Amino acid sequence: MNVPFVDLAAVQASYKVEMLAAAKRVMDRGWYILGPELEVFERDFAAFCGTHHSVGVANGTDALVLALRALGVGPGDEVLLPSLTFIATAIAVQEVGATPVFVDVRDDNLQLDVEKCAVQVSEKTKVLLPVHLHGRMSDMDAMLSLAEEKSLHVIEDAAQAHGAARGIHRAGTSGTLGCFSFYPTKNLGALGDGGAVVCSDLALKEKLLHLRNYGQSEKYVHDHPGINSRLDELQAAFLSVRLKYLEQETEIRRTLATKYKEQLEGTPLWFPKDPRDAFPVFHIFVVRTQKRDALQQYLKNNGIECQIHYPIPVHRQKLFAQIGRGHGNCFVAEKASTQLLSLPFFPGMSTDAIAFVCEKIHTFFNKPSPPAFG
Ligand SMILES: *Cc1c(COP(=O)(O)O)cnc(C)c1O
């Protein structure tokens, strides 16, 4: 049996008829940018998140860039973010000219460590930027109380966490601004690039509307610097189809994750912990082991494709060798990056495929040492 890491065609197959109808609707209307499809999606996505406003943009990286710009973050400002994240979180901070300060993650759930953030706050710090990694939420209670104590903004990178919750918090809605990506492999994925910023503040929403559209306040009137970063009508129409089924898909992801956990019992694999009041949405399914590389190779030899999220912590990237602060401080991220393995995982993955992967993992850990040659 061959098990791919992700099979997007399988995920999207059941939406094909509705998506083709959505594409036809857009083409019949002949309106492709900033039109009615986007308006509907923005309204529904804000409601899904549990907040008032959402502003569609071109991708998740732009969502972060525009969120930082909307809060006036720029050169001379420091932004605290986790060292274990997708590179885009840090690139967005660099893009606005601010300095990324890399902070370690917690060993138990790999989320940004708030206690370590507290130590790194300086008079230059403007923003705490937690990432809800792997579809589980960071500790927003602790994050918000640190932000209040130090007068900081919180921007949530919720690119992997559409619909995730923890306690009273829903991903993207507790900070000043929440940023989402609709890259095809994300929990809510378009058929191309897409992103959104969500917020409850009307003035911030209006600022974002200008920023994404050449800084334009009225047609051909430009008061603010802006860029061209919009979620187009076709993607908005596709996303509206996907959004209708997102809760259903999340349940499928959670069921698959439970199956994996049950069937991997008895192996020495380690799973990130979820507090009892958490609702993780499993963007991916990660396990941890000191034998990561050997396990990945063994599974590959058996037709099972895994990935690593992420093999190099962001503060170790050459790109940030000069400006990134965090060297020598992110031991957990460094260790985790040598131990994390993401198993095949996607809605539409068969029960047989999960059983096959788990069986191979059991065999790997139980197999006797290979006989010496000669
Ligand atoms: C995917 C992702 C982004 C960037 O989103 P794009 O749409 O690819 O630009 C940012 N942060 C995290 C944590 C992500 O997973």
mmCIF file of all heavy atoms in Angstrom, residues 319-364:
data_model
loop_
_atom_site.group_PDB
_atom_site.id
_atom_site.type_symbol
_atom_site.label_atom_id
_atom_site.label_comp_id
_atom_site.label_asym_id
_atom_site.label_seq_id
_atom_site.Cartn_x
_atom_site.Cartn_y
_atom_site.Cartn_z
ATOM 1 N N LEU A 319 18.820 33.231 6.768
ATOM 2 C CA LEU A 319 18.100 34.487 6.550
ATOM 3 C C LEU A 319 18.099 35.376 7.791
ATOM 4 O O LEU A 319 18.150 36.600 7.699
ATOM 5 C CB LEU A 319 16.663 34.129 6.147
ATOM 6 C CG LEU A 319 15.613 35.206 6.031
ATOM 7 C CD1 LEU A 319 15.975 36.188 4.925
ATOM 8 C CD2 LEU A 319 14.259 34.565 5.730
ATOM 9 N N PHE A 320 18.030 34.740 8.966
ATOM 10 C CA PHE A 320 17.922 35.514 10.205
ATOM 11 C C PHE A 320 19.195 35.472 11.040
ATOM 12 O O PHE A 320 19.185 35.851 12.207
ATOM 13 C CB PHE A 320 16.721 35.033 11.022
ATOM 14 C CG PHE A 320 15.420 35.294 10.329
ATOM 15 C CD1 PHE A 320 14.630 34.261 9.874
ATOM 16 C CD2 PHE A 320 15.002 36.600 10.103
ATOM 17 C CE1 PHE A 320 13.440 34.505 9.216
ATOM 18 C CE2 PHE A 320 13.820 36.858 9.439
ATOM 19 C CZ PHE A 320 13.031 35.812 8.986
ATOM 20 N N ALA A 321 20.293 35.034 10.420
ATOM 21 C CA ALA A 321 21.543 34.920 11.169
ATOM 22 C C ALA A 321 21.953 36.263 11.766
ATOM 23 O O ALA A 321 22.463 36.324 12.881
ATOM 24 C CB ALA A 321 22.640 34.386 10.253
ATOM 25 N N GLN A 322 21.707 37.355 11.054
ATOM 26 C CA GLN A 322 22.129 38.678 11.518
ATOM 27 C C GLN A 322 21.112 39.314 12.463
ATOM 28 O O GLN A 322 21.460 39.771 13.537
ATOM 29 C CB GLN A 322 22.348 39.619 10.318
ATOM 30 C CG GLN A 322 23.447 39.172 9.386
ATOM 31 C CD GLN A 322 24.777 38.924 10.105
ATOM 32 O OE1 GLN A 322 25.210 39.745 10.907
ATOM 33 N NE2 GLN A 322 25.394 37.783 9.835
ATOM 34 N N ILE A 323 19.840 39.337 12.027
ATOM 35 C CA ILE A 323 18.883 40.159 12.761
ATOM 36 C C ILE A 323 18.077 39.410 13.807
ATOM 37 O O ILE A 323 17.571 40.002 14.732
ATOM 38 C CB ILE A 323 17.897 40.867 11.804
ATOM 39 C CG1 ILE A 323 17.029 39.843 11.077
ATOM 40 C CG2 ILE A 323 18.624 41.755 10.826
ATOM 41 C CD1 ILE A 323 15.745 40.443 10.583
ATOM 42 N N GLY A 324 17.947 38.087 13.636
ATOM 43 C CA GLY A 324 17.044 37.373 14.528
ATOM 44 C C GLY A 324 17.636 37.219 15.913
ATOM 45 O O GLY A 324 18.709 36.652 16.076
ATOM 46 N N ARG A 325 16.967 37.696 16.913
ATOM 47 C CA ARG A 325 17.410 37.446 18.278
ATOM 48 C C ARG A 325 16.780 36.155 18.750
ATOM 49 O O ARG A 325 15.653 35.864 18.435
ATOM 50 C CB ARG A 325 17.010 38.605 19.189
ATOM 51 C CG ARG A 325 17.987 39.766 19.031
ATOM 52 C CD ARG A 325 17.758 40.862 20.041
ATOM 53 N NE ARG A 325 17.068 40.443 21.233
ATOM 54 C CZ ARG A 325 16.343 41.256 21.969
ATOM 55 N NH1 ARG A 325 16.208 42.514 21.635
ATOM 56 N NH2 ARG A 325 15.751 40.822 23.055
ATOM 57 N N GLY A 326 17.483 35.362 19.515
ATOM 58 C CA GLY A 326 16.929 34.102 19.991
ATOM 59 C C GLY A 326 17.979 33.015 20.024
ATOM 60 O O GLY A 326 17.761 31.960 20.591
ATOM 61 N N HIS A 327 19.159 33.293 19.406
ATOM 62 C CA HIS A 327 20.209 32.282 19.404
ATOM 63 C C HIS A 327 20.597 31.889 20.827
ATOM 64 O O HIS A 327 20.750 32.742 21.681
ATOM 65 C CB HIS A 327 21.438 32.800 18.652
ATOM 66 C CG HIS A 327 21.186 32.924 17.185
ATOM 67 N ND1 HIS A 327 21.481 31.931 16.304
ATOM 68 C CD2 HIS A 327 20.597 33.912 16.476
ATOM 69 C CE1 HIS A 327 21.114 32.305 15.088
ATOM 70 N NE2 HIS A 327 20.573 33.506 15.168
ATOM 71 N N GLY A 328 20.723 30.583 21.031
ATOM 72 C CA GLY A 328 21.121 30.116 22.352
ATOM 73 C C GLY A 328 19.985 30.074 23.351
ATOM 74 O O GLY A 328 20.165 29.665 24.483
ATOM 75 N N ASN A 329 18.795 30.496 22.928
ATOM 76 C CA ASN A 329 17.665 30.555 23.862
ATOM 77 C C ASN A 329 16.552 29.578 23.529
ATOM 78 O O ASN A 329 15.587 29.492 24.272
ATOM 79 C CB ASN A 329 17.045 31.962 23.861
ATOM 80 C CG ASN A 329 17.917 32.940 24.606
ATOM 81 O OD1 ASN A 329 18.506 32.582 25.613
ATOM 82 N ND2 ASN A 329 18.025 34.153 24.097
ATOM 83 N N CYS A 330 16.634 28.933 22.392
ATOM 84 C CA CYS A 330 15.489 28.140 21.921
ATOM 85 C C CYS A 330 15.818 26.654 21.894
ATOM 86 O O CYS A 330 15.744 25.992 20.852
ATOM 87 C CB CYS A 330 15.040 28.647 20.555
ATOM 88 S SG CYS A 330 14.495 30.362 20.589
ATOM 89 N N PHE A 331 16.151 26.126 23.069
ATOM 90 C CA PHE A 331 16.589 24.731 23.162
ATOM 91 C C PHE A 331 15.470 23.746 22.834
ATOM 92 O O PHE A 331 15.703 22.720 22.219
ATOM 93 C CB PHE A 331 17.111 24.427 24.574
ATOM 94 C CG PHE A 331 18.244 25.319 24.966
ATOM 95 C CD1 PHE A 331 18.095 26.244 25.980
ATOM 96 C CD2 PHE A 331 19.472 25.228 24.310
ATOM 97 C CE1 PHE A 331 19.150 27.078 26.339
ATOM 98 C CE2 PHE A 331 20.526 26.049 24.661
ATOM 99 C CZ PHE A 331 20.368 26.986 25.682
ATOM 100 N N VAL A 332 14.270 24.052 23.285
ATOM 101 C CA VAL A 332 13.156 23.122 23.051
ATOM 102 C C VAL A 332 12.875 23.023 21.556
ATOM 103 O O VAL A 332 12.734 21.927 21.005
ATOM 104 C CB VAL A 332 11.882 23.560 23.810
ATOM 105 C CG1 VAL A 332 10.731 22.610 23.509
ATOM 106 C CG2 VAL A 332 12.157 23.619 25.311
ATOM 107 N N ALA A 333 12.829 24.168 20.882
ATOM 108 C CA ALA A 333 12.578 24.171 19.434
ATOM 109 C C ALA A 333 13.675 23.397 18.708
ATOM 110 O O ALA A 333 13.405 22.637 17.773
ATOM 111 C CB ALA A 333 12.497 25.600 18.906
ATOM 112 N N GLU A 334 14.911 23.585 19.149
ATOM 113 C CA GLU A 334 16.024 22.903 18.478
ATOM 114 C C GLU A 334 15.930 21.394 18.652
ATOM 115 O O GLU A 334 16.123 20.631 17.706
ATOM 116 C CB GLU A 334 17.363 23.438 19.010
ATOM 117 C CG GLU A 334 17.628 24.817 18.465
ATOM 118 C CD GLU A 334 18.931 25.426 18.935
ATOM 119 O OE1 GLU A 334 19.807 24.683 19.453
ATOM 120 O OE2 GLU A 334 19.076 26.651 18.776
ATOM 121 N N LYS A 335 15.626 20.962 19.881
ATOM 122 C CA LYS A 335 15.506 19.530 20.123
ATOM 123 C C LYS A 335 14.308 18.955 19.365
ATOM 124 O O LYS A 335 14.407 17.920 18.694
ATOM 125 C CB LYS A 335 15.370 19.264 21.628
ATOM 126 C CG LYS A 335 15.552 17.803 21.995
ATOM 127 C CD LYS A 335 15.779 17.636 23.483
ATOM 128 C CE LYS A 335 14.565 16.991 24.101
ATOM 129 N NZ LYS A 335 14.425 17.159 25.528
ATOM 130 N N ALA A 336 13.177 19.659 19.454
ATOM 131 C CA ALA A 336 11.956 19.163 18.788
ATOM 132 C C ALA A 336 12.168 19.030 17.282
ATOM 133 O O ALA A 336 11.663 18.099 16.653
ATOM 134 C CB ALA A 336 10.786 20.093 19.082
ATOM 135 N N SER A 337 12.947 19.948 16.698
ATOM 136 C CA SER A 337 13.134 19.907 15.241
ATOM 137 C C SER A 337 13.904 18.664 14.802
ATOM 138 O O SER A 337 13.867 18.297 13.638
ATOM 139 C CB SER A 337 13.826 21.176 14.750
ATOM 140 O OG SER A 337 15.155 21.203 15.224
ATOM 141 N N THR A 338 14.570 17.997 15.733
ATOM 142 C CA THR A 338 15.261 16.742 15.393
ATOM 143 C C THR A 338 14.379 15.521 15.695
ATOM 144 O O THR A 338 14.739 14.397 15.356
ATOM 145 C CB THR A 338 16.573 16.576 16.184
ATOM 146 O OG1 THR A 338 16.268 16.390 17.572
ATOM 147 C CG2 THR A 338 17.474 17.790 16.020
ATOM 148 N N GLN A 339 13.242 15.747 16.357
ATOM 149 C CA GLN A 339 12.418 14.619 16.821
ATOM 150 C C GLN A 339 11.012 14.557 16.214
ATOM 151 O O GLN A 339 10.346 13.530 16.291
ATOM 152 C CB GLN A 339 12.274 14.684 18.351
ATOM 153 C CG GLN A 339 13.602 14.600 19.079
ATOM 154 C CD GLN A 339 13.443 14.693 20.584
ATOM 155 O OE1 GLN A 339 12.427 15.201 21.065
ATOM 156 N NE2 GLN A 339 14.438 14.218 21.314
ATOM 157 N N LEU A 340 10.571 15.674 15.616
ATOM 158 C CA LEU A 340 9.180 15.729 15.140
ATOM 159 C C LEU A 340 9.018 15.016 13.810
ATOM 160 O O LEU A 340 9.846 15.161 12.912
ATOM 161 C CB LEU A 340 8.749 17.191 14.955
ATOM 162 C CG LEU A 340 8.378 17.950 16.217
ATOM 163 C CD1 LEU A 340 8.216 19.429 15.909
ATOM 164 C CD2 LEU A 340 7.097 17.384 16.807
ATOM 165 N N LEU A 341 7.925 14.284 13.688
ATOM 166 C CA LEU A 341 7.578 13.652 12.413
ATOM 167 C C LEU A 341 6.075 13.820 12.186
ATOM 168 O O LEU A 341 5.277 13.563 13.088
ATOM 169 C CB LEU A 341 7.935 12.162 12.446
ATOM 170 C CG LEU A 341 7.792 11.428 11.108
ATOM 171 C CD1 LEU A 341 8.795 11.950 10.082
ATOM 172 C CD2 LEU A 341 7.990 9.918 11.299
ATOM 173 N N SER A 342 5.706 14.289 11.001
ATOM 174 C CA SER A 342 4.293 14.437 10.658
ATOM 175 C C SER A 342 3.866 13.231 9.833
ATOM 176 O O SER A 342 4.414 12.976 8.757
ATOM 177 C CB SER A 342 4.066 15.720 9.859
ATOM 178 O OG SER A 342 4.609 16.832 10.555
ATOM 179 N N LEU A 343 2.892 12.482 10.341
ATOM 180 C CA LEU A 343 2.416 11.276 9.661
ATOM 181 C C LEU A 343 1.402 11.653 8.566
ATOM 182 O O LEU A 343 0.816 12.730 8.617
ATOM 183 C CB LEU A 343 1.754 10.336 10.682
ATOM 184 C CG LEU A 343 2.618 9.884 11.859
ATOM 185 C CD1 LEU A 343 1.835 8.933 12.762
ATOM 186 C CD2 LEU A 343 3.911 9.218 11.371
ATOM 187 N N PRO A 344 1.175 10.767 7.587
ATOM 188 C CA PRO A 344 0.155 11.045 6.564
ATOM 189 C C PRO A 344 -1.170 11.377 7.239
ATOM 190 O O PRO A 344 -1.564 10.699 8.189
ATOM 191 C CB PRO A 344 0.049 9.723 5.802
ATOM 192 C CG PRO A 344 1.350 9.037 6.029
ATOM 193 C CD PRO A 344 1.802 9.454 7.398
ATOM 194 N N PHE A 345 -1.835 12.418 6.749
ATOM 195 C CA PHE A 345 -3.037 12.871 7.462
ATOM 196 C C PHE A 345 -3.839 13.810 6.582
ATOM 197 O O PHE A 345 -3.358 14.856 6.179
ATOM 198 C CB PHE A 345 -2.609 13.611 8.743
ATOM 199 C CG PHE A 345 -3.733 13.926 9.676
ATOM 200 C CD1 PHE A 345 -4.235 12.959 10.524
ATOM 201 C CD2 PHE A 345 -4.297 15.196 9.701
ATOM 202 C CE1 PHE A 345 -5.283 13.242 11.389
ATOM 203 C CE2 PHE A 345 -5.345 15.492 10.564
ATOM 204 C CZ PHE A 345 -5.837 14.504 11.410
ATOM 205 N N PHE A 346 -5.075 13.436 6.257
ATOM 206 C CA PHE A 346 -5.961 14.328 5.493
ATOM 207 C C PHE A 346 -7.374 13.760 5.530
ATOM 208 O O PHE A 346 -7.567 12.546 5.610
ATOM 209 C CB PHE A 346 -5.483 14.459 4.037
ATOM 210 C CG PHE A 346 -5.283 13.134 3.338
ATOM 211 C CD1 PHE A 346 -6.300 12.548 2.588
ATOM 212 C CD2 PHE A 346 -4.062 12.457 3.449
ATOM 213 C CE1 PHE A 346 -6.117 11.326 1.946
ATOM 214 C CE2 PHE A 346 -3.876 11.225 2.810
ATOM 215 C CZ PHE A 346 -4.898 10.661 2.052
ATOM 216 N N PRO A 347 -8.400 14.647 5.515
ATOM 217 C CA PRO A 347 -9.773 14.153 5.459
ATOM 218 C C PRO A 347 -9.911 13.325 4.184
ATOM 219 O O PRO A 347 -9.446 13.749 3.132
ATOM 220 C CB PRO A 347 -10.616 15.429 5.359
ATOM 221 C CG PRO A 347 -9.729 16.528 5.815
ATOM 222 C CD PRO A 347 -8.328 16.122 5.491
ATOM 223 N N GLY A 348 -10.494 12.173 4.283
ATOM 224 C CA GLY A 348 -10.566 11.276 3.129
ATOM 225 C C GLY A 348 -9.558 10.147 3.239
ATOM 226 O O GLY A 348 -9.604 9.182 2.479
ATOM 227 N N MET A 349 -8.641 10.251 4.197
ATOM 228 C CA MET A 349 -7.691 9.164 4.427
ATOM 229 C C MET A 349 -8.476 7.957 4.952
ATOM 230 O O MET A 349 -9.344 8.106 5.815
ATOM 231 C CB MET A 349 -6.660 9.601 5.468
ATOM 232 C CG MET A 349 -5.547 8.602 5.671
ATOM 233 S SD MET A 349 -4.308 9.258 6.793
ATOM 234 C CE MET A 349 -3.178 7.854 6.818
ATOM 235 N N SER A 350 -8.154 6.771 4.429
ATOM 236 C CA SER A 350 -8.960 5.604 4.788
ATOM 237 C C SER A 350 -8.516 5.005 6.124
ATOM 238 O O SER A 350 -7.365 5.164 6.548
ATOM 239 C CB SER A 350 -8.855 4.539 3.698
ATOM 240 O OG SER A 350 -7.567 3.956 3.719
ATOM 241 N N THR A 351 -9.447 4.327 6.764
ATOM 242 C CA THR A 351 -9.150 3.609 8.003
ATOM 243 C C THR A 351 -8.050 2.572 7.775
ATOM 244 O O THR A 351 -7.186 2.370 8.620
ATOM 245 C CB THR A 351 -10.437 2.911 8.500
ATOM 246 O OG1 THR A 351 -11.471 3.899 8.535
ATOM 247 C CG2 THR A 351 -10.267 2.348 9.888
ATOM 248 N N ASP A 352 -8.097 1.941 6.593
ATOM 249 C CA ASP A 352 -7.067 0.949 6.250
ATOM 250 C C ASP A 352 -5.681 1.586 6.197
ATOM 251 O O ASP A 352 -4.700 0.988 6.639
ATOM 252 C CB ASP A 352 -7.363 0.325 4.871
ATOM 253 C CG ASP A 352 -8.513 -0.670 4.939
ATOM 254 O OD1 ASP A 352 -8.977 -0.950 6.063
ATOM 255 O OD2 ASP A 352 -8.936 -1.151 3.873
ATOM 256 N N ALA A 353 -5.620 2.785 5.628
ATOM 257 C CA ALA A 353 -4.316 3.457 5.507
ATOM 258 C C ALA A 353 -3.766 3.763 6.897
ATOM 259 O O ALA A 353 -2.570 3.572 7.158
ATOM 260 C CB ALA A 353 -4.455 4.732 4.681
ATOM 261 N N ILE A 354 -4.622 4.243 7.797
ATOM 262 C CA ILE A 354 -4.173 4.521 9.173
ATOM 263 C C ILE A 354 -3.672 3.239 9.828
ATOM 264 O O ILE A 354 -2.603 3.218 10.450
ATOM 265 C CB ILE A 354 -5.309 5.146 10.000
ATOM 266 C CG1 ILE A 354 -5.641 6.525 9.424
ATOM 267 C CG2 ILE A 354 -4.930 5.224 11.485
ATOM 268 C CD1 ILE A 354 -6.046 7.562 10.405
ATOM 269 N N ALA A 355 -4.438 2.165 9.680
ATOM 270 C CA ALA A 355 -4.043 0.888 10.282
ATOM 271 C C ALA A 355 -2.701 0.419 9.723
ATOM 272 O O ALA A 355 -1.843 -0.080 10.462
ATOM 273 C CB ALA A 355 -5.124 -0.165 10.026
ATOM 274 N N PHE A 356 -2.503 0.626 8.428
ATOM 275 C CA PHE A 356 -1.255 0.216 7.772
ATOM 276 C C PHE A 356 -0.060 1.005 8.332
ATOM 277 O O PHE A 356 0.972 0.429 8.696
ATOM 278 C CB PHE A 356 -1.386 0.435 6.259
ATOM 279 C CG PHE A 356 -0.162 0.076 5.470
ATOM 280 C CD1 PHE A 356 0.239 -1.251 5.317
ATOM 281 C CD2 PHE A 356 0.592 1.065 4.859
ATOM 282 C CE1 PHE A 356 1.369 -1.582 4.580
ATOM 283 C CE2 PHE A 356 1.726 0.747 4.112
ATOM 284 C CZ PHE A 356 2.121 -0.571 3.976
ATOM 285 N N VAL A 357 -0.228 2.321 8.443
ATOM 286 C CA VAL A 357 0.845 3.166 8.976
ATOM 287 C C VAL A 357 1.177 2.731 10.407
ATOM 288 O O VAL A 357 2.352 2.558 10.777
ATOM 289 C CB VAL A 357 0.452 4.665 8.947
ATOM 290 C CG1 VAL A 357 1.510 5.522 9.632
ATOM 291 C CG2 VAL A 357 0.232 5.134 7.507
ATOM 292 N N CYS A 358 0.147 2.525 11.220
ATOM 293 C CA CYS A 358 0.357 2.174 12.629
ATOM 294 C C CYS A 358 1.029 0.801 12.764
ATOM 295 O O CYS A 358 1.918 0.612 13.603
ATOM 296 C CB CYS A 358 -0.960 2.205 13.385
ATOM 297 S SG CYS A 358 -1.634 3.865 13.493
ATOM 298 N N GLU A 359 0.603 -0.125 11.917
ATOM 299 C CA GLU A 359 1.202 -1.460 11.956
ATOM 300 C C GLU A 359 2.700 -1.379 11.656
ATOM 301 O O GLU A 359 3.526 -2.000 12.338
ATOM 302 C CB GLU A 359 0.478 -2.334 10.919
ATOM 303 C CG GLU A 359 0.987 -3.763 10.816
ATOM 304 C CD GLU A 359 0.632 -4.377 9.452
ATOM 305 O OE1 GLU A 359 -0.548 -4.265 9.049
ATOM 306 O OE2 GLU A 359 1.531 -4.928 8.813
ATOM 307 N N LYS A 360 3.042 -0.567 10.640
ATOM 308 C CA LYS A 360 4.463 -0.427 10.274
ATOM 309 C C LYS A 360 5.254 0.235 11.402
ATOM 310 O O LYS A 360 6.415 -0.100 11.640
ATOM 311 C CB LYS A 360 4.611 0.367 8.976
ATOM 312 C CG LYS A 360 4.106 -0.356 7.757
ATOM 313 C CD LYS A 360 4.904 -1.639 7.503
ATOM 314 C CE LYS A 360 4.238 -2.500 6.443
ATOM 315 N NZ LYS A 360 4.720 -3.896 6.462
ATOM 316 N N ILE A 361 4.630 1.182 12.086
ATOM 317 C CA ILE A 361 5.330 1.855 13.188
ATOM 318 C C ILE A 361 5.570 0.866 14.333
ATOM 319 O O ILE A 361 6.664 0.827 14.914
ATOM 320 C CB ILE A 361 4.538 3.097 13.665
ATOM 321 C CG1 ILE A 361 4.546 4.168 12.568
ATOM 322 C CG2 ILE A 361 5.141 3.659 14.951
ATOM 323 C CD1 ILE A 361 3.694 5.392 12.854
ATOM 324 N N HIS A 362 4.567 0.047 14.634
ATOM 325 C CA HIS A 362 4.756 -0.985 15.666
ATOM 326 C C HIS A 362 5.900 -1.921 15.277
ATOM 327 O O HIS A 362 6.760 -2.248 16.101
ATOM 328 C CB HIS A 362 3.465 -1.788 15.869
ATOM 329 C CG HIS A 362 2.490 -1.124 16.800
ATOM 330 N ND1 HIS A 362 2.650 -1.120 18.174
ATOM 331 C CD2 HIS A 362 1.349 -0.423 16.546
ATOM 332 C CE1 HIS A 362 1.636 -0.456 18.730
ATOM 333 N NE2 HIS A 362 0.849 -0.018 17.764
ATOM 334 N N THR A 363 5.899 -2.339 14.010
ATOM 335 C CA THR A 363 6.955 -3.250 13.551
ATOM 336 C C THR A 363 8.324 -2.584 13.698
ATOM 337 O O THR A 363 9.288 -3.212 14.138
ATOM 338 C CB THR A 363 6.736 -3.628 12.070
ATOM 339 O OG1 THR A 363 5.376 -3.993 11.904
ATOM 340 C CG2 THR A 363 7.628 -4.773 11.655
ATOM 341 N N PHE A 364 8.403 -1.308 13.346
ATOM 342 C CA PHE A 364 9.677 -0.586 13.442
ATOM 343 C C PHE A 364 10.220 -0.638 14.871
ATOM 344 O O PHE A 364 11.390 -0.916 15.098
ATOM 345 C CB PHE A 364 9.491 0.869 13.005
ATOM 346 C CG PHE A 364 10.703 1.731 13.278
ATOM 347 C CD1 PHE A 364 11.786 1.715 12.405
ATOM 348 C CD2 PHE A 364 10.769 2.548 14.408
ATOM 349 C CE1 PHE A 364 12.910 2.507 12.660
ATOM 350 C CE2 PHE A 364 11.877 3.330 14.666
ATOM 351 C CZ PHE A 364 12.957 3.306 13.791
#
